[in-house]
Amino acid sequence: GYSVVVSGRNFVNSPFLMCKVGDAVALASFLSTRSVQCHIPALNVGNVRISVSNNGVHFVDGPEFVCQPMPVLNRVAPSSSPAYGGALLTVTGSNFVDTAMLSCVFGDLVVPAKYVSKTSATCWAPSQTKNLVRLYISTNGIHLSDSSLLFSFSDSPVISSLVPSTGPVEGGTVVGIVGYGFPTDAIYCRFGNQTAPATRQSPKFLVCRAPKGKPGMISFSIATSYAYFSTDMSYTYHQT
């Protein structure tokens, strides 16, 4: 269990100051006439009432306490971000809760998260100096999910999608590349072993024209004159 602070008035610093959480009764810690600290025992999922007594006999009902299952994390996409941050992440799993305190925790850095559903939430990757951190979800701003995911920060660009990701074998399809951390110098798209110049439309969007190819799926990546950045993206050629 852990402790919560109950606020109100007329609390007394008494040896009989008690908290009752559901049916469990325990000594409370006096903080002031307006607040006491109550220990929360192990609870089943659901709502319980917290009550406080100055004499250990007569209890006054306080607010309900909501016991929620801990979030379980399955996947984060993308799984990396530039070191200066800015990547929009989608975290999937289970037991996510729509609260004002919902947050993503990258090591010791906390950023707000947006609730999407019980199985999904989004957040923006922060600026980070560490290369690899553990990513957690918190629903109350204090306690972290039991499970976590590895998340990396690097100077390499991150590609989140290709639009479209398929085109005719004759080539000529204008392909949009959505991502982050693109190099500022000349950049190229690599369709398998073929290259095509890319045009930077914005810091997060490139376009290039697919060259001719053979039917089937090939790897897609980006490169500069001095570096090659692999990705897990692919492009598919089809017959017209």
Side-chain angles (χ1 to χ4, degrees):
Y2 49 92
S3 296
V4 297
V5 174
V6 179
S7 299
R9 62 179 184 271
N10 300 329
F11 296 125
V12 176
N13 189 7
S14 159
F16 303 105
L17 184 64
M18 300 281 186
C19 288
K20 181 162 66 173
V21 182
D23 295 327
V25 179
L27 287 171
S29 298
F30 179 83
L31 300 178
S32 73
T33 58
R34 290 183 175 272
S35 62
V36 296
Q37 189 173 48
C38 297
H39 177 74
I40 303 297
L43 297 170
N44 294 322
V45 173
N47 295 7
V48 295
R49 181 70 63 183
I50 296 180
S51 305
V52 178
S53 172
N54 283 328
N55 59 15
V57 177
H58 303 101
F59 286 84
V60 176
D61 286 342
E64 282 193 333
F65 181 82
V66 181
C67 184
Q68 301 163 338
M70 295 298 288
V72 176
L73 278 56
N74 294 333
R75 183 172 183 266
V76 56
S79 59
S80 62
S81 169
Y84 55 77
L88 179 60
L89 313 178
T90 299
V91 185
T92 55
S94 58
N95 301 333
F96 294 169
V97 180
D98 187 6
T99 72
M101 300 301 293
L102 185 65
S103 55
C104 292
V105 183
F106 298 82
D108 54 359
L109 296 179
V110 180
V111 298
K114 181 180 179 181
Y115 177 84
V116 177
S117 69
K118 292 181 179 180
T119 60
S120 179
T122 61
C123 58
W124 294 92
S127 175
Q128 175 65 274
T129 57
K130 299 177 182 177
N131 292 330
L132 194 65
V133 298
R134 284 280 178 184
L135 169 62
Y136 299 86
I137 288 286
S138 175
T139 58
N140 62 7
I142 298 174
H143 303 100
L144 304 181
S145 54
D146 290 333
S147 58
S148 63
L149 300 168
L150 284 175
F151 190 84
S152 62
F153 291 86
S154 69
D155 294 329
S156 298
V158 175
I159 297 177
S160 56
S161 63
L162 301 181
V163 184
S165 60
T166 183
V169 293
E170 290 82 4
T173 300
V174 176
V175 179
I177 303 99
V178 181
Y180 317 89
F182 295 131
T184 56
D185 50 353
I187 190 168
Y188 303 88
C189 296
R190 288 174 56 99
F191 295 81
N193 294 323
Q194 299 187 81
T195 61
T199 302
R200 184 179 291 98
Q201 302 292 314
S202 76
K204 297 182 179 181
F205 188 67
L206 308 175
V207 293
C208 58
R209 194 175 297 272
K212 294 180 180 180
K214 296 180 180 180
M217 182 182 293
I218 60 171
S219 62
F220 179 88
S221 58
I222 59 175
T224 65
S225 59
Y226 61 87
Y228 162 71
F229 305 103
S230 63
T231 73
D232 57 359
M233 294 291 168
S234 60
Y235 183 84
T236 302
Y237 283 103
H238 59 75
Q239 295 280 8
T240 54

